[in-house]
């Protein structure tokens, strides 16, 4: 197989997205694994890498949410075999810094990252280190493996908050990450689950996926939302997944007494909290929980094992979250059509 070429979706610095023939990657280290990619998702974080010059280098093949089959293994890999279904674990921690030694892999000081700091899974084949692969349970479909990484984002926030069981979970932002976290909260025994967004379609989807209640924050004030949450104001876990100054402020503003507020969304604009909202952190004795990436010890973390179990048990509904899936050419068209705007659902690259 070495020496051939493969299809790859390549991003160039001027924001152009093209299907190109690229050399087949080769196994160079004894812990390398060659993977034949089946399914690879576009992440919201990829959009600035494509349209806003935000990649570490160009030209680059992105893609850190992918699954496929092991094709070949390096000599030191004894626990994977050709034909095994795997998903990418994109963080590549150094495993030796003090953060890694304590199991804080998300905080590694010297990390690399598949599909961001190195070539990713928007290609027919990829070579990654053994530590960057999670073997999928046999009862789980290989295609669902492309959702494993996005599922673990919400699960890491729950891990940071010491779980969601028995809590009244409020999801601020009903995008892909929010709707996956919402379904996970239900499956893991949350007492109630509420979704908040400004988009009526996303709220309808949240209801269809089992939310106990949905609230439109464009139509309701923070005060009205708090009143609607009155019966669930204790043991509250608020998950902010939208990553805008308004939604972060809202998450704090609506949080009940002694609530946990887990901050997941990445901000791209400065946040100014008005004095009354800041005062709620003090007066309600809130716990603010920062959540970064999706890893814990033992590597890659309970988030990954839980996500695989929930997907294998078909506890999460994925197809309503998919806006587009298709081959390399149709994937490129769907990505170009975004023109820098956020996705309104997951865009998936599917190889035959």
């Amino acid at each position: 197989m070495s020496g051939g070429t493969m299809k790859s979706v390549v991003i160039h610095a001027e924001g152009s997205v093209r299907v190109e023939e690229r050399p087949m990657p080769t196994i160079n280290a004894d812990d390398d694994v060659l993977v034949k990619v089946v399914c690879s998702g576009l992440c919201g974080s990829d959009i600035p890498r494509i349209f806003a010059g935000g990649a570490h280098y160009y030209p680059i093949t992105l893609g850190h949410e992918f699954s496929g089959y092991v094709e070949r293994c390096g000599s030191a890999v004894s626990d994977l075999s050709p034909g095994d279904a795997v998903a990418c674990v994109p963080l590549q921690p150094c495993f030796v810094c003090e953060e890694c030694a304590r199991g804080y892999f998300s905080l590694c000081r010297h990390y690399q990252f598949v599909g961001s700091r190195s070539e990713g899974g928007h290609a027919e084949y990829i070579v990654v280190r053994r530590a960057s692969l999670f073997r999928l349970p046999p009862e789980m479909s290989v295609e669902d493996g492309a959702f494993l990484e996005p599922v673990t984002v919400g699960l890491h926030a729950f891990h940071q908050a010491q779980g969601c069981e028995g809590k009244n979970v409020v999801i601020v932002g009903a995008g892909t990450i929010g709707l996956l976290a919402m379904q996970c909260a239900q499956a893991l025994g949350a007492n109630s689950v509420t979704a908040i967004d400004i988009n009526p379609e996303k709220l309808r989807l949240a209801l269809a996926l089992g939310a106990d209640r949905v609230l439109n924050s464009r139509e309701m004030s923070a005060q009205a939302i708090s009143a609607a949450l009155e019966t669930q104001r204790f043991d509250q876990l608020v998950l902010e997944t939208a990553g805008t100054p308004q939604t972060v402020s809202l998450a704090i503003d609506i949080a009940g007494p002694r609530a946990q507020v887990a901050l997941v969304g990445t901000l791209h604009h400065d946040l100014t909290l008005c004095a009354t909202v800041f005062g709620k952190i003090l007066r309600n004795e809130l716990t603010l929980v920062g959540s970064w990436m999706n890893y814990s010890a033992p590597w890659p973390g309970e988030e990954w094992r839980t996500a695989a179990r929930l997907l294998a048990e078909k506890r999460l509904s994925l197809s309503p979250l998919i806006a587009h899936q298709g081959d390399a050419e149709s994937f490129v068209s769907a990505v170009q059509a975004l023109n820098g705007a956020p996705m309104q659902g997951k865009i998936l690259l599917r190889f035959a």
Side-chain angles (χ1 to χ4, degrees), residues 18 84 206 216 222 250 265 346:
R18 309 204 277 267
D84 284 348
N216 189 320
L250 179 69
K346 183 59 72 179

Side-chain angles (χ1 to χ4, degrees), residues 149-191:
E149 195 274 348
V151 170
T152 60
V153 173
L155 290 175
H156 184 63
F158 295 148
H159 172 82
Q160 292 292 86
Q162 288 82 50
C164 61
E165 190 179 351
K167 295 179 183 176
N168 293 305
V169 176
V170 180
I171 308 281
V172 180
T176 302
I177 296 294
L179 291 173
L180 288 171
M182 182 193 88
Q183 295 184 69
C184 288
Q186 290 166 310
L188 296 172
N191 182 55

Side-chain angles (χ1 to χ4, degrees), residues 30-33 73-82 84 130 135:
D30 56 9
D31 66 338
D32 277 351
V33 179
C73 298
S75 57
V77 179
S78 57
D79 59 343
L80 283 178
S81 308
D84 284 348
R130 168 64 187 96
R135 187 213 309 266

